[in-house]
Amino acid sequence: MVLVSEFLELELNKIIETSNNNITITDEKGIIVRSHPEHWEIYGIEPGSYIGKSVYELEEEGLLSPSINAIVLKERKFSRILQHTKTGRVVMSSGYPIFDETGRLVRVVSYSQDQTEIWKLQEQYEQLQRKIQGYRTEVEDLREKELNHSIIARSNEMQQVLKTIQHVAKVDATVLLLGPSGVGKSTIARALHNQSDRYREPFIEVNCSTIPESLFESEIFGYEPGSFTGANRKGKPGLIEQAEGGTLFLDEIGEMPLGMQAKLLRVIQEKKITRIGGKEEKKINFRLVAATNQALAKMVEEGRFRLDLFYRLNVIPIHIPSLNKRKEDIPVLIQHYVQKTNDKYNKLKKFHPSTYDVLTQYEWPGNIRELENLIERLILTIEEPTIYPKHLPVIVSGQTKPLDISPSLQVKQEIEGKRNLKETLEAVEIQLIAKAYKECKTTYEMAEYLGISQPTVIYKLKKYKEHF
């Protein structure tokens, strides 16, 4: 007949042998009385040679560094340590004291788990994190270099613009880009986006001067299915909605219809939109960048632009100087666009140094856009490998004035009887635009003919449409 004590002995041995944790029991003197048979292999001790050994002795031999049981015997309370064995293993050990009814410490039970693989994974994870941080730093450097390459900034004026962009790119404050047409406001807006924390998200560019007023609201805010005749049966997200998480760039903001300005103001304030025909408001997370070649403050005075919207947009104004105000940039811009156009069309054209001189002295009323278009035209139309001043249009080479604006007899008759400067200037402007409209085939040709931007041509045609 098996005694109760024998059953307890069998049960205890089975628990120790089958436990997921390596269990070791020592007496009050640190002598090992029970342990898992295979537990000591991780310490470099032969199975079966540990019973009767003292944990203090094993510590002196360097096999336990340190012994959790020895620590519990000393401190008389639960303890947990991380051990590094001679065999190169990492072991997590926890020890618990056992007291008798008199409060005397009689046993210590410890549990050990081999954490070597987990420890290695942790080290690999930390190494990976360091590499990721290194790659992130490299990406930031590359993005900064990309910004420097996308914006030609040799002049002090553009260097200051570049510094401002880098300074405000990381914050979500609204930026208003100011400057004449063709100075590269859209390029700067994209560089601002690329330097921001939103660079992985969409960059949505909206030219407010090219969207018909009747379609403006549906294009900007989107619409629900069946909202109006001709609408997409599935509905359509607006441009603001498409900018979720990224940057919304409203170019030519001064051309936005007055009725739409109030709705845009609400979107900027609340960052919520409601599609046409919809009832549910949708929260949109975007960073706003706007641009204009117009004097918004003057438009406010004239009642053509909302004052409250102007204040919302004019948080961080950045003035982009015209090209004739930063002539140091012209030679490097020429070099940049010559290379770009050669690569695009597989050409090997070059500009003579004297051509650089002439182009640097030109006033460039159309700014960078005019310069880029001229270089592309010259490379594609001039057959010679080197482009000299003789190949330049007379308007650029200085052989004639850009546009004869002396009033013709017709203009004189038109302005006769006008009493104020505004009416007189409008009369002259109408005649010049009418002449360009008659002689040019496209609005782009009109823009070049008049020395203004193509969006401005569209605006003027709308303004004076009853005269054509």
Side-chain angles (χ1 to χ4, degrees), residues 393-433:
V394 291
I395 191 174
V396 176
S397 62
Q399 298 177 32
T400 185
K401 294 181 179 179
L403 186 65
D404 183 6
I405 60 172
S406 59
S408 63
L409 177 61
Q410 183 180 2
V411 172
K412 288 180 180 180
Q413 293 172 345
E414 181 68 28
I415 67 176
E416 190 174 327
K418 305 295 183 185
R419 294 188 176 182
N420 61 58
L421 180 62
K422 182 179 179 181
E423 290 180 354
T424 303
L425 291 176
E426 283 188 352
V428 175
E429 189 174 58
I430 290 169
Q431 292 301 317
L432 292 175
I433 293 174

Side-chain angles (χ1 to χ4, degrees), residues 70-320:
I71 291 174
V72 174
L73 286 169
K74 179 181 179 182
E75 299 183 358
R76 299 174 61 84
K77 64 180 181 179
F78 165 78
S79 293
R80 177 174 290 155
I81 62 171
L82 196 65
Q83 298 171 316
H84 294 270
T85 72
K86 280 189 171 182
T87 58
R89 313 298 291 181
V90 179
V91 181
M92 179 68 73
S93 296
S94 303
Y96 299 83
I98 301 176
F99 301 93
D100 63 12
E101 64 277 3
T102 65
R104 186 170 64 92
L105 196 159
V106 294
R107 291 286 188 274
V108 173
V109 179
S110 64
Y111 303 86
S112 299
Q113 287 184 329
D114 189 349
Q115 302 282 309
T116 305
E117 296 305 319
I118 296 176
W119 188 263
K120 287 181 179 178
L121 288 174
Q122 177 68 24
E123 287 185 334
Q124 291 174 4
Y125 173 77
E126 291 176 355
Q127 290 176 2
L128 181 60
Q129 287 296 104
R130 288 192 291 270
K131 286 183 179 180
I132 291 174
Q133 184 59 43
Y135 293 147
R136 186 178 290 114
T137 302
E138 289 181 11
V139 169
E140 292 295 330
D141 291 342
L142 288 173
R143 285 170 58 205
E144 184 173 343
K145 289 178 181 178
E146 181 182 355
L147 173 63
N148 292 333
H149 289 155
S150 63
I151 302 176
I152 306 300
R154 175 177 290 181
S155 64
N156 292 333
E157 293 83 358
M158 284 305 296
Q159 285 288 347
Q160 187 58 49
V161 169
L162 193 60
K163 288 179 181 178
T164 304
I165 291 172
Q166 293 172 338
H167 183 67
V168 303
K170 298 298 182 182
V171 297
D172 273 348
T174 300
V175 174
L176 179 61
L177 302 176
L178 303 167
S181 294
V183 293
K185 293 189 289 291
S186 60
T187 301
I188 291 172
R190 184 172 289 278
L192 188 64
H193 170 76
N194 290 340
Q195 282 293 296
S196 74
D197 294 333
R198 298 175 179 267
Y199 71 96
R200 293 187 181 91
E201 304 301 330
F203 175 82
I204 302 299
E205 182 173 352
V206 182
N207 191 319
C208 299
S209 67
T210 60
I211 303 177
E213 186 171 351
S214 59
L215 299 178
F216 209 100
E217 187 172 4
S218 62
E219 288 294 317
I220 294 293
F221 295 100
Y223 54 84
E224 295 293 346
S227 300
F228 51 86
T229 304
N232 190 312
R233 287 185 294 178
K234 296 182 180 180
K236 180 182 177 183
L239 294 167
I240 295 177
E241 198 171 338
Q242 294 176 36
E244 168 64 32
T247 299
L248 176 68
F249 174 47
L250 297 179
D251 197 8
E252 303 292 351
I253 188 72
E255 305 290 345
M256 177 174 284
L258 196 60
M260 288 300 304
Q261 293 177 21
K263 296 182 179 181
L264 176 64
L265 177 64
R266 182 174 177 271
V267 172
I268 296 173
Q269 290 173 332
E270 301 179 9
K271 292 294 178 73
K272 294 179 181 178
I273 64 163
T274 303
R275 291 186 183 182
I276 296 176
K279 297 181 179 179
E280 181 181 351
E281 284 190 327
K282 183 173 183 180
K283 193 167 184 64
I284 306 295
N285 172 25
F286 65 91
R287 198 260 182 91
L288 178 64
V289 178
T292 182
N293 62 355
Q294 301 191 47
L296 293 185
K298 184 179 180 181
M299 293 181 66
V300 170
E301 293 177 2
E302 297 171 349
R304 296 189 292 125
F305 202 85
R306 292 180 63 99
L307 178 63
D308 45 9
L309 178 57
F310 172 70
Y311 284 138
R312 282 286 178 179
L313 296 175
N314 199 40
V315 179
I316 303 178
I318 299 178
H319 294 266
I320 316 300

Side-chain angles (χ1 to χ4, degrees), residues 181-182 323 333-334 337-338 340-341 344-345 351 359 362 364 366-381 387 392-393 396 443-445 447-449 452-455:
S181 294
L323 191 55
L333 280 167
I334 296 170
Y337 287 115
V338 167
K340 179 181 176 181
T341 308
K344 180 179 179 180
Y345 296 106
F351 280 43
L359 295 177
Y362 179 57
W364 297 108
N367 293 292
I368 296 176
R369 186 182 295 119
E370 181 185 3
L371 183 146
E372 181 179 9
N373 291 341
L374 174 63
I375 289 175
E376 184 170 6
R377 185 198 316 163
L378 291 171
I379 288 178
L380 293 178
T381 59
I387 296 170
L392 299 176
V396 176
T443 55
Y444 289 98
E445 289 183 9
E448 185 174 352
Y449 182 85
I452 59 178
S453 69
Q454 188 260 354

